Amino acid sequence: MNATSNMDPISYERQAEGLEAQSVDCQANKEVVKLLIDAAECYFKASELVKDGAEKDRLRTNFSKVLKKAELVKQAEKSFTELNASGCIKRFGPCDGIGDSKMKTISRSGPRGPRSSRELSKKEQIILLQSAKLHGHLFPPWKDDPIDDEFALVEGADLFLDGFDMNLSPKQLESFGGWIRYRDRENFQMRGSSARQDVDLVQDLNTDCSVVAGICCEISRTERGHHRILSASVWPYDRLKDDFVPSPNGKYVFRLHFNGCDRKVVIDDRLPSSRTHRQIHTVDRNNRSLVWPALVEKAYLKIRGGYDFPGSNSATDLWALVGWIPETIHMTSESLILAEFWKRVYTSFIDGNVLITVGTGRITPEAEAGTGLASEHDYAVLDMRETISSKRFLLKNPGIEGTVWKGSKISEDDSGISQTIHDLSLFNEKSSPGTFWIDLKNVIQFFHVFHMNWNPALFQERQDIHFAWDLTDDVTSSTCLINNPQFLVSTSRSADQVWLLLSRHYCTDDGKRIRGYLDGKGRPDQDFKKPQTSNELGERSGWISIYVFDKKGKRVALNESPVHRGSFVDAPQTLVQVDIPADTCYTIVAQQLDLQPRRYNFTLSAFSQGHVMLESAPQALAHSVILKSGWERSTSGGRAESVHYAANPQFSFAVQRKANVTLLLDSHATDKDLIPVNVALFWSGGLRVTTVTRNNVVGESGIYRKGSALAEISAVEPGKYTIVCATWEPRQLAKFTLRVESDVEFEVSPLLPENAGRVTIQLPLVTLRPGFDRAIIPISPERLTRLKLIGRAISINKSNLIPEPKADPWRLNGRRPFTGYSEDTGLVVIGAPRPRPTDQVLPLAPSWGSDVPTSNKPGSAGLGWHTAPPHTPMRISVENGRGPTRRTLKSSGDGTFTTYPQTFRTEDIDITQELVRRKGIWVVVEREPTPLEEKNMTILIEVLADFAINVGTWIYAFDD
């Protein structure tokens, strides 16, 4: 340092700032440390020269901060040197069989790994602030490391008191003897890693086996010669000696990673004492005076609500304690390849780059007694050994009872040859209580899951994105992903692997719910039963997963063909590892199952060797409208083959310019109740679609899919169109959401049902027989009315249901028409005989007199078209008068005989009293003349009218 003794305080401070600035651009860590120490010396000399107390404190604070920064850089250099010496500076492949492991250089990113460089949006900053509130306390995002003055005991001042007495369980309260500062105990010890003595942590009345097992893993790693990970998380801490130290004023500050970022957790040095021989906090079996593990445990339990925390899994706990990437692999996973798994995990474990615990599933009391394993319990992996004939784990049961595996201690290899004496000596070392060796095959057979935490320093880059997911009123089906949070991810290197971690933020209600305080709606749960299995806990807390799609970073609508589909886990974090090809942008979708209906905060993190980009997936089309409707008894018309297709919900759609249009239909139903659906866009002038032909369909969603359907239609010309939302079968009932998107502005609105505001009148059934191809029936409205006719062919099993048409016209001489109820339509009709239960509407109008279509399964076609067999063209009309002077008012098919795939109908016509008085109004049904061998054809005609009408009797008409 070139500072001279005659410099003033301002000059010293400017020189210190300059040295700090030089350190930022310096590449060599040793030079960085030297520059920072020189800067700290300048700050100290400046503080010695000033007389103002506030100014002196400011300069002393800068001195402490710069000195701490130098210590951290030195510690990071030490960590990197260890990694380099052990040969672990390489890329570690995934543990679930995806991709290949390749050697790659990593950066010196510090003991807690790389930091996200994304600039947070205002919304993300708000999310992080919202997630800071937990269990009535504030855990702010981490800013600056504490200085020594924060822990100094001021003369005359009281010791620091947190003021937060953590919750205890009923069983813990039975032994609770009050909160006592550890300094008040006899012979307390705050011994750290420098002592290099075995620490044997156990749990007793504390039910946090996952926490204790995780701390045991960190201790075991340190005892194997690696640097202490917790050194970057605790203040005060002697970082030069790598040792825990007592806090003079009883205050401890922890930097824990949860709810999206590093956060500040403050505790005092009080611990729960016991009036009995039972212990409420974790203790060292070899030295019960050791207190630092209990302080680490207390800091973590504070963010989880208290000592009554029932435990989670060690991967989740260590993610918060040390910031290492959590991963869970189930023993039954199809992607678990044992040889590959052992190779990758074993190498990483020896190099100190992974912490491992294993968890059991639910075990019966009989099985517990037979195996020595505890039900739903986490065990720490203290060591791994590999010989010619075996692969083994040294496990530790953190329970104070210390039960161990009762299975075989020595196994034979696949050829049946016993292990060598050398092999036996490796596994028969003297072990502490609760520890035991077990081979890989027995771990797979008797344990349920691997929990692992990976060193984030194995990666060069990391990006985090924070988001909220509101499930309060979510009714989206599992087949539709449009409302799920979605993101794009890409890397700067070809064929690079990206690790994606989805983390659900803790909230106060989560802690209460797993303890039984609240039900699913946030109310006191009077009938709570403590979860007995992880599945039961999952049902209470829900599951999360990550789906990966090759969609170029665009939003995904349907749950179809992902590149990778992660397993659902009931933990707060889930990890997937994906190899991303060069010049490829993937879409990442957060998925959930049975999460409680409320708002959640999440963080998605991406870890990579090369530069990684992580952003929200953009909306493909700029304009969107969401409509809610449903299929009811009268509006569920079935597929296009159905004669009721026109009854389906329909919407008018209009664009002024050529547009790209997306239609997404999603039914509101549970997985077991999902129905096949379809959505289509028709040329129809914005009016209701009554007939489906190949020429009037602009685009559709294709096969009928259960739950949801998507139609993506390009270059839609300006005009008015109609959207039809259909089910596969008529009368399939469900609510649905229709999402309409376009790259230009548009208008969309529901269309009223065809019979809205009208009376539906079903005429008596009529049968056209060979040689009798025309029949007429008189109708008489009592006032001016507008009406239309809708007809279709039906099949009747019993011919005597339909009366023969009469030979003479029926005159309206005040006779009262028959009124009845139609089981076919569910409507009250006039002039209709009651159909028999044996009546059956033809599923396809073109197939009367022929076989029903061969395909009746969803997904065989789009709207349901198939080649209809030849059949007789039909026509229905409304005529005024009889004989040569009759006048046709309206006819189906513009007056021509037409083959109709669904129904045949007329347009609206106004019927006045003058037309009735002059010549009468007649409904006419006819078909082209047919040969005598033609089959009978039964016709059902409905009249949609503004008012009720009188109806006569069908007659065959030969004189017309």
Side-chain angles (χ1 to χ4, degrees):
M1 186 177 67
N2 297 323
T4 59
S5 59
N6 58 355
M7 291 176 60
D8 57 46
I10 295 178
S11 299
Y12 274 123
E13 185 173 8
R14 287 178 178 175
Q15 184 167 357
E17 292 172 348
L19 292 169
E20 278 193 275
Q22 292 179 42
S23 71
V24 174
D25 298 326
C26 188
Q27 299 297 320
N29 279 2
K30 291 182 179 179
E31 185 65 24
V32 171
V33 172
K34 182 179 183 303
L35 290 170
L36 291 175
I37 291 176
D38 289 346
E41 185 178 348
C42 286
Y43 280 125
F44 180 79
K45 289 185 176 181
S47 70
E48 290 292 309
L49 294 176
V50 298
K51 296 182 179 180
D52 181 72
E55 188 68 10
K56 184 183 290 288
D57 289 342
R58 184 182 66 82
L59 291 171
R60 286 289 178 92
T61 298
N62 290 342
F63 161 76
S64 297
K65 287 184 177 180
V66 173
L67 193 61
K68 288 294 183 183
K69 189 183 297 184
E71 292 176 358
L72 288 177
V73 174
K74 186 176 180 180
Q75 180 67 28
E77 177 67 20
K78 178 183 177 182
S79 301
F80 179 77
T81 302
E82 286 188 11
L83 293 173
N84 190 28
S86 62
C88 67
I89 300 183
K90 59 188 177 182
R91 173 192 180 189
F92 280 80
C95 295
D96 59 356
I98 306 173
D100 297 322
S101 179
K102 301 176 182 178
M103 302 292 291
K104 298 187 179 181
T105 303
I106 69 168
S107 67
R108 286 165 286 185
S109 50
R112 295 178 74 93
R115 297 296 173 187
S116 176
S117 60
R118 280 188 66 256
E119 182 177 353
L120 299 184
S121 66
K122 290 292 185 183
K123 184 180 295 186
E124 290 178 271
Q125 295 177 36
I126 292 174
I127 288 173
L128 291 182
L129 291 177
Q130 290 173 339
S131 294
K133 299 177 182 178
L134 196 60
H135 306 296
H137 289 267
L138 193 66
F139 301 103
W142 190 268
K143 290 185 178 180
D144 298 317
D145 293 349
I147 61 175
D148 291 342
D149 291 348
E150 188 171 345
F151 309 100
L153 180 59
V154 179
E155 184 176 356
D158 294 332
L159 292 173
F160 174 77
L161 183 64
D162 185 13
F164 175 63
D165 289 341
M166 296 165 60
N167 294 328
L168 299 174
S169 70
K171 185 171 291 187
Q172 291 167 344
L173 287 172
E174 292 176 1
S175 297
F176 181 58
W179 295 94
I180 299 179
R181 295 186 183 272
Y182 68 75
R183 67 185 67 228
D184 296 333
R185 300 181 179 184
E186 295 182 1
N187 302 321
F188 80 88
Q189 292 186 19
M190 182 67 72
R191 187 186 68 243
S193 59
S194 60
R196 299 298 183 194
Q197 296 180 9
D198 290 342
V199 177
D200 185 12
L201 291 189
V202 292
Q203 63 168 137
D204 188 0
L205 290 174
N206 46 328
T207 54
D208 56 347
C209 65
S210 60
V211 181
V212 179
I215 299 176
C216 289
C217 290
E218 198 276 346
I219 293 173
S220 174
R221 179 184 182 276
T222 304
E223 291 175 347
R224 296 197 307 272
H226 301 285
H227 73 280
R228 181 174 292 285
I229 312 172
L230 283 171
S231 64
S233 303
V234 185
W235 281 263
Y237 189 88
D238 189 339
R239 283 164 176 78
L240 296 179
K241 295 182 179 180
D242 195 17
D243 229 341
F244 290 92
V245 294
S247 172
N249 67 355
K251 180 180 181 179
Y252 285 89
V253 175
F254 287 80
R255 181 171 68 177
L256 303 187
H257 190 86
F258 64 99
N259 287 8
C261 62
D262 287 349
R263 295 184 179 274
K264 185 176 183 179
V265 180
V266 179
I267 63 169
D268 57 30
D269 59 2
R270 296 179 305 150
L271 295 173
S273 65
S274 175
R275 294 180 287 104
T276 67
H277 68 283
R278 307 293 300 275
Q279 296 296 322
I280 297 176
H281 59 75
T282 185
V283 295
D284 179 4
R285 196 196 306 265
N286 297 330
N287 180 8
R288 299 199 174 216
S289 298
L290 185 67
V291 297
W292 73 257
L295 294 175
V296 173
E297 177 190 46
K298 180 180 179 180
Y300 180 70
L301 293 182
K302 181 175 181 179
I303 71 174
R304 300 311 298 267
Y307 282 88
D308 59 345
F309 173 60
S312 56
N313 69 73
S314 298
T316 291
D317 302 335
L318 286 170
W319 170 240
L321 285 171
V322 299
W324 280 31
I325 306 169
E327 180 182 18
T328 296
I329 297 180
H330 290 272
M331 307 299 182
T332 56
S333 173
E334 295 180 356
S335 60
L336 179 60
I337 303 173
L338 290 186
E340 183 178 338
F341 169 81
W342 176 268
K343 180 180 178 181
R344 290 169 175 165
V345 174
Y346 179 73
T347 303
S348 301
F349 183 86
I350 298 302
D351 293 337
N353 284 306
V354 66
L355 304 175
I356 311 172
T357 63
V358 291
T360 57
R362 190 175 188 182
I363 303 176
T364 64
E366 294 78 13
E368 284 186 306
T371 63
L373 301 178
S375 178
E376 295 192 306
H377 193 56
D378 276 2
Y379 291 73
V381 175
L382 304 183
D383 201 357
M384 297 175 67
R385 299 280 180 89
E386 180 178 30
T387 67
I388 298 175
S389 55
S390 69
K391 299 176 177 64
R392 289 178 175 261
F393 296 93
L394 178 61
L395 300 188
K396 172 180 173 55
N397 176 3
I400 196 169
E401 69 283 350
T403 58
V404 298
W405 165 246
K406 295 181 179 179
S408 58
K409 298 294 187 285
I410 301 298
S411 63
E412 295 185 346
D413 62 12
D414 294 338
S415 62
I417 302 176
S418 299
Q419 297 175 338
T420 64
I421 299 299
H422 172 70
D423 292 346
L424 299 181
S425 65
L426 292 177
F427 305 119
N428 285 310
E429 302 169 351
K430 185 177 180 180
S431 299
S432 59
T435 61
F436 56 91
W437 286 98
I438 183 172
D439 64 8
L440 177 60
K441 291 182 180 179
N442 279 319
V443 169
I444 298 299
Q445 180 177 354
F446 290 96
F447 286 81
H448 180 66
V449 66
F450 282 107
H451 297 300
M452 297 177 292
N453 291 84
W454 296 88
N455 187 353
L458 296 172
F459 297 92
Q460 288 182 330
E461 293 286 336
R462 169 181 177 173
Q463 300 296 346
D464 296 335
I465 191 167
H466 315 284
F467 61 95
W469 192 358
D470 193 348
L471 298 173
T472 304
D473 299 315
D474 183 67
V475 290
T476 308
S477 71
S478 61
T479 61
C480 179
L481 301 177
I482 195 63
N483 292 327
N484 292 48
Q486 302 191 20
F487 310 90
L488 62 87
V489 62
S490 64
T491 65
S492 60
R493 295 162 46 146
S494 61
D496 202 1
Q497 187 182 77
V498 176
W499 288 26
L500 298 165
L501 178 69
L502 179 64
S503 300
R504 175 165 57 87
H505 294 190
Y506 304 139
C507 79
T508 302
D509 282 356
D510 287 339
K512 292 181 178 179
R513 189 166 290 114
I514 61 176
R515 291 167 171 84
Y517 301 154
L518 297 181
D519 63 10
K521 297 183 179 180
R523 301 171 303 195
D525 191 351
Q526 304 297 330
D527 300 323
F528 173 77
K529 180 181 178 181
K530 183 179 178 180
Q532 297 298 313
T533 68
S534 59
N535 281 339
E536 292 178 13
L537 182 58
E539 291 171 2
R540 186 169 289 270
S541 60
W543 288 265
I544 60 174
S545 181
I546 298 175
Y547 289 178
V548 182
F549 294 85
D550 187 4
K551 293 292 185 179
K552 301 180 179 179
K554 297 180 180 179
R555 290 188 65 84
V556 178
L558 300 181
N559 189 358
E560 291 184 330
S561 306
V563 174
H564 180 76
R565 193 190 304 269
S567 301
F568 279 97
V569 298
D570 57 0
Q573 297 86 29
T574 183
L575 179 75
V576 299
Q577 300 125 346
V578 182
D579 290 306
I580 300 183
D583 303 321
T584 301
C585 190
Y586 278 174
T587 300
I588 311 302
V589 181
Q591 181 63 303
Q592 63 86 22
L593 180 65
D594 294 336
L595 285 181
Q596 298 293 337
R598 63 171 178 83
R599 186 182 185 273
Y600 294 85
N601 289 337
F602 283 86
T603 295
L604 179 66
S605 303
F607 301 86
S608 176
Q609 296 292 348
H611 174 70
V612 60
M613 181 178 69
L614 180 65
E615 296 292 344
S616 294
Q619 197 70 36
L621 302 176
H623 306 277
S624 64
V625 173
I626 297 176
L627 300 162
K628 293 186 177 181
S629 185
W631 294 284
E632 299 176 352
R633 183 178 177 86
S634 60
T635 60
S636 178
R639 58 192 180 277
E641 298 170 346
S642 169
V643 294
H644 301 290
Y645 182 77
N648 283 307
Q650 302 190 21
F651 303 84
S652 174
F653 174 79
V655 288
Q656 303 297 323
R657 294 183 291 130
K658 182 178 289 188
N660 296 318
V661 178
T662 296
L663 307 176
L664 176 62
L665 175 64
D666 182 47
S667 62
H668 305 170
T670 60
D671 288 349
K672 64 179 182 179
D673 298 323
L674 289 178
I675 58 177
V677 296
N678 174 278
V679 61
L681 183 68
F682 291 87
W683 298 96
S684 64
L687 303 177
R688 288 194 68 87
V689 174
T690 58
T691 302
V692 179
T693 67
R694 295 185 183 276
N695 295 327
N696 70 345
V697 180
V698 181
E700 52 126 351
S701 57
I703 64 174
Y704 277 68
R705 298 181 70 260
K706 280 194 171 184
S708 53
L710 176 69
E712 297 177 301
I713 310 166
S714 302
V716 176
E717 296 293 336
K720 293 183 178 181
Y721 303 84
T722 300
I723 302 169
V724 180
C725 302
T727 58
W728 176 250
E729 296 287 354
R731 298 189 183 178
Q732 289 181 313
L733 311 181
K735 299 292 184 182
F736 69 79
T737 297
L738 174 65
R739 185 186 185 100
V740 184
E741 297 181 352
S742 174
D743 55 353
V744 303
E745 292 185 350
F746 62 89
E747 294 180 357
V748 62
S749 59
L751 290 172
L752 293 174
E754 193 171 29
N755 60 354
R758 292 188 170 188
V759 178
T760 301
I761 304 160
Q762 182 176 301
L763 301 183
L765 301 178
V766 60
T767 298
L768 300 182
R769 305 179 184 280
F772 299 88
D773 298 321
R774 175 182 169 87
I776 62 176
I777 189 171
I779 62 173
S780 175
E782 297 180 353
R783 64 183 73 180
L784 173 65
T785 188
R786 175 170 293 181
L787 58 81
K788 69 166 56 176
L789 304 180
I790 303 174
R792 65 180 185 268
I794 66 172
S795 174
I796 302 295
N797 291 337
K798 294 186 177 181
S799 59
N800 60 4
L801 174 67
I802 305 171
E804 290 283 347
K806 297 182 180 299
D808 297 321
W810 179 77
R811 299 183 182 277
L812 297 174
N813 292 326
R815 296 171 60 184
R816 185 176 182 84
F818 172 79
T819 302
Y821 174 82
S822 170
E823 291 180 347
D824 184 63
T825 64
L827 299 171
V828 174
V829 296
I830 298 176
R834 187 179 183 89
R836 303 278 178 83
T838 54
D839 295 354
Q840 180 183 359
V841 178
L842 280 174
L844 183 67
S847 66
W848 58 64
S850 62
D851 293 335
V852 178
T854 56
S855 175
N856 281 319
K857 290 192 286 187
S860 60
L863 287 168
W865 288 309
H866 74 289
T867 304
H871 57 273
T872 306
M874 298 288 303
R875 180 175 66 192
I876 57 174
S877 308
V878 178
E879 296 182 354
N880 184 213
R882 296 291 311 282
T885 61
R886 73 183 186 275
R887 183 164 63 97
T888 301
L889 302 179
K890 287 290 182 181
S891 289
S892 61
D894 295 327
T896 62
F897 289 96
T898 308
T899 300
Y900 294 93
Q902 290 91 24
T903 59
F904 41 99
R905 63 185 63 218
T906 67
E907 295 179 0
D908 282 330
I909 180 174
D910 292 328
I911 304 297
T912 65
Q913 289 298 304
E914 182 180 354
L915 291 174
V916 176
R917 288 192 301 269
R918 188 183 306 169
K919 295 182 180 181
I921 301 299
W922 299 83
V923 174
V924 182
V925 58
E926 51 192 327
R927 62 179 175 179
E928 286 187 338
T930 58
L932 293 179
E933 62 270 16
E934 181 70 21
K935 296 182 179 180
N936 294 344
M937 180 183 296
T938 300
I939 309 298
L940 183 150
I941 297 178
E942 292 178 328
V943 181
L944 302 185
D946 293 340
F947 303 99
I949 61 174
N950 294 315
V951 179
T953 303
W954 286 104
I955 62 172
Y956 289 126
F958 302 100
D959 56 336
D960 290 334

